[in-house]
Amino acid sequence: MCGIIGISSNKPVSGNIINSLKKLEYRGYDSAGIATLFEGEIKEVKSEGRVDSLEQNFDLKNLKGNIGIGHVRWATHGVPNSVNAHPHSSHNVSVVHNGIIENSTILKKYLISKGHNFKSQTDTEVIVHLITENLKTSELEIAITKTLEQLHGSFALGIVFKEMPDLIVGARRGSPLAVGYGPNENYLGSDSYALKAMTNKITYLEDGEFCLIKKNQVLFFNEDGKKINKKILELSSDEANYEKGDFKHFMAKEIEEQPVTIKTGIKEYIDRTNSDINIYNFPWKISEINSITLIGCGTAYHSCLMSKYWFEELTQLDVSIDIASEFRYRKNRFKKDTLYIFVSQSGETADTYAALDLCNKNNMKTCAVVNVIESSIARDANFILPIHCGPEIGVASTKAFLGQILILYILVLKLGSLRNEITKEIYQEKIKDLQSLPSLIEKSLLIDNDIQAISSTFNDAKGSMFLGRGFSYPIALEGALKLKELSYVHAEGYPAGEMKHGPLALIEDGMPVVVLAPRDSYYKKTISNMQEVIARGAKVLLITNKSKDEIFSENIWETIEVENTNDDLLPFLLTIPLQKLAYYSALKKGYDIDKPRNLAKSVTVE
Ligand code: F6R
C-alpha cells in the first residue's frame, strides 16, 4: 500500500519520477508528491488525487534537481489531501513512507517538546523530525540507526537531505523496498515494477536493513549499522504484460488472459509424458505431514477455502483455513506435522507475511503459493509454488485467483498421490482432465452480451446475494467480493443451505440473487434452495453447466451455462461469469475499474 520511488542521477530526475509514480498508482491513489534537491534547497510538490492532478497543478518540467523522491499514497493516518500527501519535509530532511508508525503519538509529543512544528496529521511526519533531531547530535549512519530503533511499526522509507545533495537513504521494516542499478544513476522503489522501465538489476532490502544510494554507489547496512554485501538479481523482461494493449482496462485484459494463465500453470507443473506432477523437491518428508493450514486474505483466502474442499474430497489430510489477520493474533497451537500454506498474489500482503513470519519463528513447515516470485513471502517460505500468471495490475484479483486455485488443486493431487490416497488411475485421469481446462475457460469467456444485459439489474438493486454449496460456495464468496469491490453494490456470499437460518429475511421482491448450481453432487439441494428464494420474490440468475437435462424449476430470471467438465474443475468455469458481472456492472456505472475507491493492490499495512 502506497508507492515509493527515489532516483539519484547525473541528470534531472522529475520526468522519470513521474513515470514511475504512474506505474505505482495501483498501490495507492489518494494523493501524490515529489521532492527534489536543487541548489541546496528541498523543492516539494504535492497534490490530492492522482498523479495526473499533480501534473495539472504544477509545472513539473521546471521541477529541477538530479536527485528526488516520489510517493503515491493510500491514506492510513490523516485524510487524503495535499497537506497529508508525501513527501513530508523539515528544513533539512524530506521523507516518503509506506507503512504505519505505531508509536507516532508518543514520538510527536517528545518532538514538540524539543521545538519541532508539525504541519500534517500523518504518522510519517514524526520520522522527518526524529531524523532532524538525531542529526543534531550524530553522524548520518548513527542518526539513521538511532531513528529506526525509535520507530515502532512497519515502514519502507526513502529519505533525502538538504546537506547531502546526491544521497538517498532507503530503510525497510515490514514494508517491501528494492534498490535498482542504472547507468550513472541508482534507484529506490517500493517494488520492482516501479523500477522495471529503468533497470532489470535489483537488490531487495530485508527487514531491519537500510541503504545509502548515490548515483555511482550503493551501500547496504544491517540493523546494527554494520556494512553488508547483498546480491544483485537480474529480473526477466516482460514489459508487454504491463500494457493494456487493445483492452479498455487491465481487469478486462486479465480476465481474458485466464486460458493462458491455466495453460502456463499446467505447462509448469504437469509432466504430460509421464502423466505426473512435477513437484518433487519438498524440503520435508511427506510422511511428516498430517494436516494442512492455508492462510490468506480476501480473494487469496477464497482460494484457501476452495482448496479445503478439494483436500477433503481427495485426501485424508486434516485441513483448516485462516484469514491472515486473524491467524497472526490468535493463540495458535503450532503443530510439527502441519504444513502451513500461504497464498498471495503480491507476496507482500502484510498480514499474510506476518503469519508466515510467525510460523517460521516457530520452526513450522511453510510453503508459499505466490505470483511475485521476488516477493517477501516467496523469499521467506521454506518452499514456493509460483502461480506464473504474469503481473496482475487491476486491483481486483482475477487471473491470480484462477492461478492460485490451479496450483492448489495440483498440490492436492500430488499430495494425495504421494500419500496413496488417490489411486494411480484417478490421479492420471484428473491430470488428463486438466489439459482441457484452458479451452473450456476460453469458451466460457464468450458470454459478454448476456452478462452486459444482466448487469444493470445488479446496479439498480439495494443489495444482492450469491449462493452456492460445496465446491461452489467459495466461488459464491468470490463473486460477491468482486461485485462489491468494483461496483460498490452490497453483495453477500452465502452457503445456499444457510439461507433459512437468517439471511432469507433479506429477500424481497426483485432482489437479484446469483445461484451457482452446477450439476454436481450438490445440484438438487441447491436447486431447492433456489426455489425458496424465488418463492420470496428474488430475481435469480442461475449459473450452471451445460447439460441435456432440463432444469426443473419455474420463474428463473436468467440462466447462464458454462462448459461441462468434471466436478472438481467446475469452480474454474463458474468464476468467469461472476468476474464479468462485476466488470460490466462497474463499467455501466462509469467507475474506475482498475482502481476501485478506497482500495489498493498490494496491502502492505495491516
Ligand atoms: C480482491 C483482492 C484482494 C486480495 C487481497 C490479498 O479482488 O484483490 O482481496 O486478494 O488483498 O492480496 P494478495 O493476494 O496480494 O495477498
Side-chain angles (χ1 to χ4, degrees):
M1 203 93 30
C2 303
I4 287 178
I5 179 73
I7 307 178
S8 176
S9 179
N10 62 357
K11 54 181 196 278
V13 292
S14 62
N16 276 342
I17 290 184
I18 285 286
N19 291 340
S20 305
L21 288 182
K22 284 183 177 163
K23 298 211 163 210
L24 281 171
E25 259 193 339
Y26 77 101
R27 297 178 67 103
Y29 32 88
D30 292 339
S31 59
I34 302 176
T36 59
L37 294 182
F38 185 63
E39 294 182 338
E41 291 299 326
I42 296 173
K43 308 273 173 200
E44 195 187 86
V45 290
K46 312 202 283 192
S47 187
E48 186 180 336
R50 307 220 162 164
V51 181
D52 281 350
S53 318
L54 190 69
E55 280 183 304
Q56 279 154 21
N57 293 341
F58 297 94
D59 179 9
L60 295 176
K61 280 193 207 86
N62 280 331
L63 182 65
K64 297 202 171 105
N66 293 356
I67 182 164
I69 49 178
H71 190 265
V72 282
R73 178 169 185 248
W74 183 83
T76 55
H77 282 59
V79 294
N81 61 22
S82 60
V83 177
N84 290 333
H86 299 211
H88 291 280
S89 309
S90 66
H91 68 282
N92 62 345
V93 174
S94 187
V95 173
V96 285
H97 166 220
N98 293 352
I100 294 178
I101 303 304
E102 287 167 358
N103 57 340
S104 62
T105 316
I106 300 168
L107 289 172
K108 193 168 176 179
K109 257 193 200 154
Y110 159 74
L111 290 161
I112 289 171
S113 77
K114 292 276 180 186
H116 293 263
N117 292 318
F118 284 78
K119 292 176 260 184
S120 75
Q121 303 160 305
T122 65
D123 50 345
T124 305
E125 212 181 340
V126 299
I127 308 171
V128 179
H129 293 287
L130 202 56
I131 300 172
T132 304
E133 186 62 27
N134 287 333
L135 277 171
K136 286 182 190 163
T137 51
S138 311
E139 292 296 310
L140 177 79
E141 283 139 52
I142 302 192
I144 299 292
T145 318
K146 207 164 148 186
T147 304
L148 301 183
E149 269 170 19
Q150 288 170 294
L151 298 175
H152 297 175
S154 67
F155 51 77
L157 300 173
I159 314 165
V160 289
F161 306 84
K162 184 171 144 183
E163 262 105 59
M164 291 167 252
D166 61 343
L167 176 74
I168 302 174
V169 169
R172 171 187 174 166
R173 190 196 295 152
S175 300
L177 201 58
V179 168
Y181 307 85
N184 296 318
E185 55 184 28
N186 290 313
Y187 320 101
L188 182 73
S190 45
D191 60 28
S192 58
Y193 179 47
L195 305 179
K196 266 202 163 154
M198 299 179 286
T199 183
N200 68 340
K201 293 192 174 56
I202 303 278
T203 299
Y204 291 96
L205 268 80
E206 299 296 332
D207 271 348
E209 293 176 353
F210 69 93
C211 61
L212 307 187
I213 302 172
K214 294 185 176 182
K215 60 180 181 288
N216 292 319
Q217 184 191 47
V218 182
L219 299 175
F220 293 96
F221 299 83
N222 67 13
E223 56 195 326
D224 303 323
K226 286 212 182 81
K227 226 189 252 178
I228 51 170
N229 291 322
K230 290 187 68 78
K231 266 198 212 145
I232 298 178
L233 309 172
E234 240 173 77
L235 302 179
S236 57
S237 126
D238 49 0
E239 266 311 301
N241 283 326
Y242 292 103
E243 307 299 335
K244 278 202 288 264
D246 292 336
F247 290 92
K248 228 174 168 172
H249 300 98
F250 277 107
M251 185 185 177
K253 176 175 177 253
E254 287 157 7
I255 290 174
E256 299 300 326
E257 277 172 354
Q258 292 178 114
V260 178
T261 302
I262 300 299
K263 228 182 248 169
T264 313
I266 291 172
K267 231 172 42 203
E268 290 286 337
Y269 288 96
I270 305 282
D271 171 353
R272 283 179 75 167
T273 324
N274 300 308
S275 290
D276 201 355
I277 289 168
N278 286 326
I279 309 179
Y280 295 114
N281 46 346
F282 292 109
W284 338 272
K285 284 197 190 111
I286 296 303
S287 57
E288 288 171 0
I289 299 168
N290 287 319
S291 61
I292 306 269
T293 295
L294 296 119
I295 297 163
C297 302
T299 290
Y301 171 75
H302 296 156
S303 301
C304 299
L305 178 60
M306 188 65 246
S307 74
K308 179 179 160 74
Y309 281 88
W310 285 324
F311 269 116
E312 288 177 349
E313 182 76 20
L314 297 165
T315 77
Q316 300 293 316
L317 286 155
D318 281 337
V319 186
S320 60
I321 54 166
D322 229 314
I323 290 177
S325 53
E326 289 297 312
F327 177 86
R328 63 182 289 196
Y329 291 116
R330 255 209 333 269
K331 272 198 182 158
N332 288 297
R333 313 275 180 272
F334 288 106
K335 287 192 279 163
K336 282 273 168 227
D337 65 350
T338 299
L339 170 62
Y340 291 85
I341 301 177
F342 299 85
V343 183
S344 174
Q345 187 285 128
S346 62
E348 299 293 355
T349 300
D351 285 317
T352 312
Y353 180 78
L356 165 66
D357 197 41
L358 192 63
C359 289
N360 281 342
K361 285 190 174 128
N362 283 279
N363 296 318
M364 293 295 108
K365 301 173 180 69
T366 58
C367 168
V369 174
V370 286
N371 191 30
V372 183
I373 49 175
E374 305 94 6
S375 64
S376 308
I377 291 175
R379 279 179 289 135
D380 285 2
N382 302 158
F383 187 61
I384 143 166
L385 294 170
I387 300 162
H388 295 298
C389 73
E392 190 180 63
I393 311 295
V395 163
S397 196
T398 51
K399 64 176 180 175
F401 176 66
L402 281 210
Q404 285 160 2
I405 63 173
L406 175 73
I407 306 314
L408 289 167
Y409 181 66
I410 288 174
L411 181 66
V412 170
L413 294 182
K414 185 70 186 180
L415 291 180
S417 150
L418 290 173
R419 290 164 53 86
N420 295 321
E421 289 159 354
I422 301 179
T423 64
K424 195 168 175 202
E425 293 69 43
I426 293 184
Y427 179 64
Q428 296 198 331
E429 196 183 300
K430 293 206 181 273
I431 289 177
K432 194 165 153 242
D433 283 353
L434 264 176
Q435 311 290 344
S436 59
L437 192 54
S439 69
L440 295 175
I441 293 176
E442 223 160 88
K443 286 184 197 145
S444 301
L445 281 164
L446 305 172
I447 43 159
D448 294 65
N449 291 343
D450 298 343
I451 287 282
Q452 275 185 59
I454 289 166
S455 62
S456 312
T457 298
F458 284 81
N459 282 345
D460 299 339
K462 247 189 352 206
S464 59
M465 299 203 103
F466 289 66
L467 308 180
R469 276 175 177 258
F471 289 176
S472 304
Y473 166 50
I475 307 304
L477 292 182
E478 177 58 9
L481 178 63
K482 287 287 98 88
L483 188 70
K484 62 187 135 192
E485 73 176 318
L486 287 163
S487 66
Y488 320 149
V489 168
H490 186 80
E492 284 304 330
Y494 256 99
E498 265 292 290
M499 289 300 284
K500 285 193 209 65
H501 302 284
L504 204 53
L506 290 173
I507 304 293
E508 53 187 50
D509 223 23
M511 181 184 195
V513 174
V514 178
V515 176
L516 301 176
R519 291 148 211 270
D520 57 11
S521 54
Y522 301 90
Y523 176 65
K524 284 191 182 139
K525 301 259 174 237
T526 316
I527 293 292
S528 303
N529 298 134
M530 178 180 80
Q531 281 156 346
E532 286 157 12
V533 293
I534 290 176
R536 281 150 186 92
K539 259 179 124 170
V540 164
L541 164 61
L542 169 68
I543 302 183
T544 184
N545 53 330
K546 286 184 178 155
S547 163
K548 285 190 206 93
D549 300 336
E550 214 183 306
I551 299 158
F552 290 106
S553 178
E554 285 181 352
N555 300 325
I556 298 171
W557 168 53
E558 291 287 354
T559 302
I560 286 184
E561 290 182 330
V562 298
E563 296 301 308
N564 204 3
T565 179
N566 76 37
D567 289 5
D568 296 354
L569 301 184
L570 283 168
F572 289 88
L573 307 183
L574 296 176
T575 304
I576 308 289
L578 302 185
Q579 293 171 338
K580 292 213 172 198
L581 178 66
Y583 176 79
Y584 282 114
S585 299
L587 190 69
K588 280 218 173 109
K589 286 178 142 179
Y591 290 161
D592 192 340
I593 290 181
D594 287 332
K595 298 184 185 100
R597 73 178 179 205
N598 303 338
L599 300 177
K601 184 72 183 158
S602 178
V603 187
T604 53
V605 291
E606 67 169 295

